[in-house]
Amino acid sequence: MPLHVPPAPAPALRTVLTALGSPTAVREARTPSLRMAQGPATPELPLPVHVLDRITPAGTSTARLAGWRFLIRCGDRAVAAADTMLTPDGWAFSHFFEGPYIAATERALRQAENMKQSYQPRLLSVPGLYMLTLWLHGDCAADGATGHPAATDLLVPLAPAPPGIAAHRPHRVAELLPVLTHRLTSAPLLSSPA
């Protein structure tokens, strides 16, 4: 089934296009793949990035929109990504980056396109576990900038995933959230005495 990619805010896309057109922004980016890319670089597949701020011991979560991520494609592959963020003045370009999450995102999106059900793709970051997942939201008509993971939504951990969590294996939120809850609530704080 096809994925229903939510439309990114036009000002967010404009900031990425402006940054791509700026030799200074591209030259100063820590993305050798983007600097050495041959041909035009285009932003594609805008995905809203939500952050899982906290999970309560009861397993409920609070997610908030942190920005929009665009995969930057040169030719037939994504060579980098661009993040935007919401500021008091509106959407602003944040930074370019590269690394394993670029290929992992593309792989997870290809996987999702082969599923029987249609989904709206989003990204869900779990900072407490240094984890990023492709969040496949079941309501394809929903506003991509709002909402929380529903129990029947799927989360696909991107590689590299935390130890003990299989990358690229889809999990229902109802199944994975208790695992994340346990890990986040049982992990000792780094600043606490032993």
Side-chain angles (χ1 to χ4, degrees), residues 5-9 11-17 20 31 42-51 64-73 78-86 91-106 108-109 121-127 130-135 144-145 156-160:
V5 178
L13 176 58
R14 276 195 302 273
T15 66
V16 172
L17 290 170
L20 280 171
T31 52
T42 56
E44 296 181 358
L45 287 169
L47 296 173
V49 180
H50 295 262
V51 175
R64 65 177 169 80
L65 179 69
W68 284 80
R69 177 167 296 165
F70 297 79
L71 293 181
I72 307 300
R73 186 168 301 282
V79 296
D83 275 356
T84 62
M85 62 184 180
L86 189 58
W91 287 99
F93 170 75
S94 175
H95 62 281
F96 292 116
F97 68 95
E98 62 184 50
Y101 285 135
I102 308 298
T105 301
E106 282 192 305
L109 287 167
R122 305 169 176 201
L123 293 173
L124 183 67
S125 173
V126 186
Y130 302 100
M131 180 179 181
L132 184 64
T133 69
L134 178 64
W135 168 15
V156 182
L158 300 181

Side-chain angles (χ1 to χ4, degrees), residues 145-190:
T146 62
H148 300 285
T152 56
D153 287 352
L154 295 179
L155 296 177
V156 182
L158 300 181
I165 296 177
H168 298 289
R169 182 178 171 269
H171 302 269
R172 293 233 175 266
V173 168
E175 297 165 357
L176 187 58
L177 201 56
V179 173
L180 301 180
T181 302
H182 176 73
R183 290 220 179 159
L184 286 169
T185 57
S186 65
L189 297 175
L190 293 176

Side-chain angles (χ1 to χ4, degrees), residues 104-124:
T105 301
E106 282 192 305
R107 177 180 169 184
L109 287 167
R110 280 193 307 272
Q111 252 182 300
E113 287 174 344
N114 293 321
M115 294 181 174
K116 292 179 183 177
Q117 182 179 338
S118 292
Y119 290 100
Q120 182 188 81
R122 305 169 176 201
L123 293 173
L124 183 67

